[in-house]
Amino acid sequence: MLRTQLWLLPSLGVGLALGLGVGLPRLDARLGPDVPSWAAPYLFGGGAGAARAVLGAIAGSLITVTSLTFSMTVVALQLASSQFSPRLLRTFTRDRVVQSTLALFLATFTYALTVLRTIRSPGESRDIFVPQIAVTTGFVLALVSVLALVLFLAHLARELRAETTLLRVHAEANETIRRVLPPRSSTSLDVTPVSPPPDTLPLRAGASGFVLRMDASSLLSAAVEADAVLLIDCCPGSLLVAGTPLGAGWPRAAGSFDTDVELRLTRQVARAISTGPERTAAQDVTYGLRQLIDVAVKALSPGINDPTTAVHALGHVSIVLCELAGRQLGPRPLRDERGDVRVMLYQPNIADLLTMTLVQPLHYGAHDSTVLAQMFSLLRDLAWHVSADQRPAITHQLEVLRAQAAGQRFGSREMARFDMLSNQVEQALTGRWAPAWIPS
C-alpha cells in the first residue's frame, strides 16, 4: 500500500535534505581553511552575497518547477481516469520516476533554504561564514534537478501512451498470477466437491470493502481448531458487506458447534480476510483483467470512439488469459496433516474468466468487425493453451460470439472472415494450428 502513496518518497527527500542542510555547513565550519587543495578549485568561491543569491535563485526556481511538476502529474491522472479507467490511477501514483522526481525537487528546495540560513555577511554580529561545500552541493543539486525535469517530461509523455499503460497493467497482472497461483499440473489432487449439510454456520464478514488478502494458513488453523469444514465463497477482489455471510462452516462430525466454538470460529475467519476501500494486485488475480477490460470498454464508448485501443487492450487480455490457463484454477482445497479437506476456497475457473472478459466488450463492440475479429483471435490463442476439461468453456463462448456476429449487418467479406476465424478456433481446440494465410 505504501508503494502507491505519492507522498512517501517526497517526504523522505525533504527529511534527508534537512539533515544534509544542517550537516554540511557544520562540516564547512569544522574544515575552515583546511579544505584539500585538489578540491578547492571546484568549490564555490564567492562571498556571502553571491552565496545568498545562488541559493535564493535555486529555492525560488525549484518551488516553481515543483508546482509545474505537480500540475502535470494531476493532468496525467485526469487523462488516465477519463480516457482509460479510474482503476489505472494507482499505476500512475506508484510510478517511481514521478515519486523520485518530486522528491528531488522538494529536497533541493528544502536544502537551499536550510543552507541559506547559515550564511553570515560582513557587518553582522557574528563572524563571516560562507559554507563553500554546502553551496556547491546546492548548485550540483540544481543541475541534477534540471536534468530530472527533462527526463520527467520524456517519461510522462511515454507513460500517457495507451500502449505503455496496457503493457504495465498486463505485466503486473502476470506477476500477480505467477506469485499467487501454482502451475497447472496433471498430477494435482482431485478436488472433490464439498457438500454442506442443510444447517450450516454463516461466516459473516467483519468489515465492508473489497477483499485484499486471504490468510489461508489462518483459515486452515481455525478449521482444525474447531474441528470444522469451511466453505469460503469469496476471493480477493470480491466486495463484502459487514455482517453479510461470506461462507459457511459446519462440524466435521455430526452435531452442532458449541456457542464458544462458534463465536471463536467466526472471529478467526473474519480476521483472516482483510478488506479495503479499493482493489489491489496483492492477491487479486483478476484485477489486471478488470483494468484491461475497462480500457477496452472505455475506448468503445461514443465519447472516446477508439476501437484500435480496444483491440490492443483485448490483445493484452489474451496474454493474461493464456498465463492464467497455465495455472491451477477453480476451487482451492486446504488440507490438514492427514490430507482431509478442511477449507474450500472459491477461485474463478476459465469459464468465469471468459465471461468476465468478453461480456462487456462484446456488448459494446459487437458492431465493429475489428473488435469481433480480435475476440475470435483471443479464443484461438486461449484454446491452444487450455487443458481438455477447459475446452467446453471456450466452445460455449465461441457459439455466443458466432451468434453475435451473425446478428450484425456485416458484409459478405466480414462474415467470411468470421467463419475462417471460427474454424481456426475449433482447430486450435483439437491441437491443430492452421496458418492464418496461405501463400499464393
Side-chain angles (χ1 to χ4, degrees):
M1 293 295 290
L2 286 178
R3 186 181 174 186
T4 62
Q5 302 300 319
L6 195 58
W7 56 267
L8 182 59
L9 273 185
S11 299
L12 293 176
V14 170
L16 181 62
L18 282 172
L20 197 63
V22 172
L24 282 184
R26 291 185 179 181
L27 177 64
D28 270 297
R30 177 171 296 183
L31 290 178
D34 299 330
V35 177
S37 58
W38 61 267
Y42 302 101
L43 297 179
F44 180 77
R52 282 177 172 162
V54 170
L55 293 177
I58 292 174
S61 60
L62 260 297
I63 195 61
T64 302
V65 170
T66 303
S67 301
L68 175 64
T69 305
F70 270 112
S71 300
M72 289 187 293
T73 303
V74 170
V75 170
L77 294 177
Q78 290 176 337
L79 287 175
S81 177
S82 62
Q83 189 162 356
F84 299 136
S85 168
R87 274 151 292 282
L88 291 177
L89 296 185
R90 183 182 292 267
T91 303
F92 287 89
T93 56
R94 71 183 298 178
D95 191 334
R96 287 301 191 196
V97 174
V98 175
Q99 296 178 358
S100 301
T101 302
L102 293 175
L104 175 62
F105 291 166
L106 290 175
T108 304
F109 167 74
T110 304
Y111 175 82
L113 286 184
T114 306
V115 175
L116 190 59
R117 54 185 281 277
T118 65
I119 299 174
R120 296 189 293 274
S121 303
E124 296 182 354
S125 58
R126 290 175 289 180
D127 295 336
I128 299 174
F129 179 65
V130 179
Q132 292 179 303
I133 298 177
V135 175
T136 304
T137 303
F139 175 74
V140 172
L141 286 175
L143 293 180
V144 174
S145 298
V146 171
L147 178 61
L149 177 62
V150 176
L151 296 177
F152 172 78
L153 293 174
H155 175 79
L156 193 63
R158 183 176 64 254
E159 289 299 307
L160 289 178
R161 296 172 55 194
E163 290 79 5
T164 305
T165 302
L166 295 172
L167 180 62
R168 273 179 171 268
V169 173
H170 111 235
E172 183 181 41
N174 282 352
E175 179 184 349
T176 302
I177 292 167
R178 292 164 188 161
R179 186 180 67 250
V180 173
L181 298 178
R184 185 182 67 205
S185 174
S186 58
T187 60
S188 302
L189 293 175
D190 293 334
V191 179
T192 304
V194 175
S195 299
D199 296 326
T200 60
L201 170 66
L203 302 174
R204 295 178 174 84
S208 300
F210 292 99
V211 177
L212 303 182
R213 295 179 181 273
M214 300 184 70
D215 191 340
S217 60
S218 296
L219 290 172
L220 180 58
S221 298
V224 172
E225 181 181 343
D227 195 22
V229 179
L230 306 182
L231 179 63
I232 308 298
D233 57 4
C234 65
C235 64
S238 302
L239 180 62
L240 300 181
V241 179
T244 302
L246 55 81
W250 59 92
R252 195 165 58 124
S256 59
F257 292 117
D258 295 335
T259 303
D260 293 340
V261 174
E262 179 178 318
L263 290 175
R264 185 167 61 252
L265 178 61
T266 302
R267 291 171 182 169
Q268 289 175 333
V269 170
R271 285 197 300 266
I273 299 177
S274 303
T275 59
E278 59 179 336
R279 297 172 68 175
T280 68
Q283 291 185 355
D284 189 352
V285 295
T286 63
Y287 184 48
L289 285 174
R290 180 71 272 163
Q291 292 175 293
L292 293 171
I293 292 303
D294 283 351
V295 173
V297 172
K298 178 79 77 169
L300 293 172
S301 65
I304 304 298
N305 194 24
D306 184 11
T308 301
T309 297
V311 169
H312 290 177
L314 289 172
H316 288 276
V317 168
S318 177
I319 296 173
V320 177
L321 285 175
C322 290
E323 180 69 31
L324 282 165
R327 300 285 157 170
Q328 200 68 38
L329 300 176
R332 175 190 172 191
L334 303 180
R335 304 176 184 272
D336 59 17
E337 294 179 351
R338 297 189 304 177
D340 297 332
V341 175
R342 288 303 191 94
V343 182
M344 184 66 74
L345 300 178
Y346 166 76
Q347 283 186 163
N349 55 30
I350 199 69
D352 299 327
L353 296 172
L354 278 172
T355 300
M356 184 189 75
T357 54
L358 292 182
V359 167
Q360 288 184 328
L362 186 59
H363 175 74
Y364 295 105
H367 59 281
D368 194 297
S369 61
T370 59
V371 174
L372 288 179
Q374 183 59 42
M375 292 185 189
F376 279 108
S377 297
L378 183 153
L379 291 179
R380 186 192 190 197
D381 294 336
L382 186 58
W384 186 256
H385 290 86
V386 297
S387 57
D389 60 312
Q390 296 172 329
R391 290 171 184 166
I394 297 181
T395 302
H396 170 71
Q397 290 296 334
L398 179 60
E399 294 301 323
V400 172
L401 194 54
R402 280 172 170 167
Q404 190 69 33
Q408 304 299 317
R409 296 181 178 178
F410 292 121
S412 57
R413 292 179 62 88
E414 285 84 359
M415 294 305 300
R417 183 188 180 194
F418 293 152
D419 289 339
M420 179 192 69
L421 293 172
S422 178
N423 292 333
Q424 290 177 349
V425 176
E426 292 177 339
Q427 291 176 351
L429 285 170
T430 61
R432 292 181 294 139
W433 190 272
W437 63 280
I438 300 176
S440 56

